Amino acid sequence: MRKKVVFYHAGCKVCVSAEQQLAVALDPAKFDVEVVNFADAPGRIDEAEKAGVVSVPAFVIGGTPFHINFGASMADLKGGA
Amino acid sequence: MRKKVVFYHAGCKVCVSAEQQLAVALDPAKFDVEVVNFADAPGRIDEAEKAGVVSVPAFVIGGTPFHINFGASMADLKGGA
């Protein structure tokens, strides 16, 4: 079974770079990658925070958050929502 | 041709987690991943810094650095070398 991976981002420049270079790089034989843009799905911010995401872009793989560079903090995203 | 990716780390706990979850996750059909541990290869710190790496663990993909969470700064690594 493929492992579920969620890539959270907010459409920022750093996010797009990470998506184009890393999110698409994961082995499709092993991973099922869901891309979540908070601009389209603000209702998923809570789920991301519960998984430990503090900034975007970030992956959550097997429950562990991996923050990629720094685009925006979750606090900034909530402040702007 | 597979794209060259270098994963730089320093053997720290954050580094090991990123290696086990992300470095091994890249599609082997598209990427040739080299893992560089500065503890074994301190001579490669310079090359990583030139690519823009400021902390480990980090990937360099197509010349772009992607820092994953935060394990240690390059400055710390050099101070401890």
Side-chain angles (χ1 to χ4, degrees):
Chain A
M1 208 182 87
R2 295 194 304 165
K3 197 169 184 175
K4 178 72 182 282
V5 173
V6 186
F7 177 70
Y8 294 103
H9 74 105
C12 59
K13 191 178 166 189
V14 172
C15 300
V16 171
S17 169
E19 181 177 2
Q20 291 177 343
Q21 301 261 27
L22 261 183
V24 301
L26 299 186
D27 186 350
K30 291 184 190 161
F31 299 93
D32 174 19
V33 182
E34 180 186 12
V35 175
V36 174
N37 183 343
F38 290 132
D40 301 326
R44 299 198 53 186
I45 288 179
D46 188 51
E47 150 204 317
E49 286 191 313
K50 281 183 181 151
V53 173
V54 296
S55 66
V56 288
F59 287 100
V60 173
I61 304 179
T64 305
F66 292 97
H67 303 91
I68 314 297
N69 290 338
F70 180 83
S73 71
M74 295 299 276
D76 286 341
L77 294 179
K78 288 194 290 186
Chain B
M1 208 182 85
R2 296 193 304 166
K3 196 167 184 175
K4 178 71 183 280
V5 173
V6 187
F7 176 71
Y8 294 103
H9 74 105
C12 59
K13 191 178 165 188
V14 172
C15 299
V16 171
S17 170
E19 181 178 1
Q20 291 177 343
Q21 302 262 27
L22 262 183
V24 301
L26 299 186
D27 187 348
K30 291 184 190 159
F31 298 94
D32 174 19
V33 182
E34 179 186 12
V35 175
V36 174
N37 183 344
F38 291 131
D40 301 326
R44 299 195 57 183
I45 288 179
D46 188 52
E47 148 204 318
E49 285 192 315
K50 281 182 181 151
V53 173
V54 296
S55 66
V56 288
F59 287 99
V60 173
I61 304 179
T64 304
F66 292 97
H67 304 90
I68 314 297
N69 289 340
F70 180 82
S73 72
M74 295 300 275
D76 287 341
L77 294 180
K78 288 195 289 187

